Amino acid sequence: PLSYFSDTRGRRAALILSLILSGIFGLLTTLSPDVYVFMILRMCQGMLFAGYLSFYRCVSKIFTIGSFL
């Protein structure tokens, strides 16, 4: 779902959406009433944070290739 959104709307919009939703799920995690809700919210937060990490890895490779030559 996030990859389709990234292809149609652009990587910047997907990154911003991923960060906002990850923050929202992080805040909801602090309000979880029991361990089951906590685990579901952490899973959702983790799935959204993976989009941020993969984008960060791609960008860091682009900017560090020249420094190793």
Side-chain angles (χ1 to χ4, degrees), residues 11-39:
R11 282 180 252 163
R12 181 180 174 155
L15 174 65
I16 291 171
L17 178 68
S18 176
L19 289 175
I20 290 172
L21 289 177
S22 179
I24 290 171
F25 280 117
L27 289 173
L28 290 175
T29 301
T30 62
L31 303 173
S32 60
D34 58 7
V35 70
Y36 300 110
V37 175
F38 178 81
M39 289 188 319

Side-chain angles (χ1 to χ4, degrees), residues 4 15 36 40 43 46-47 56 66-67:
Y4 177 76
L15 174 65
Y36 300 110
I40 290 170
M43 182 184 69
M47 286 189 299
Y56 177 75
S67 64

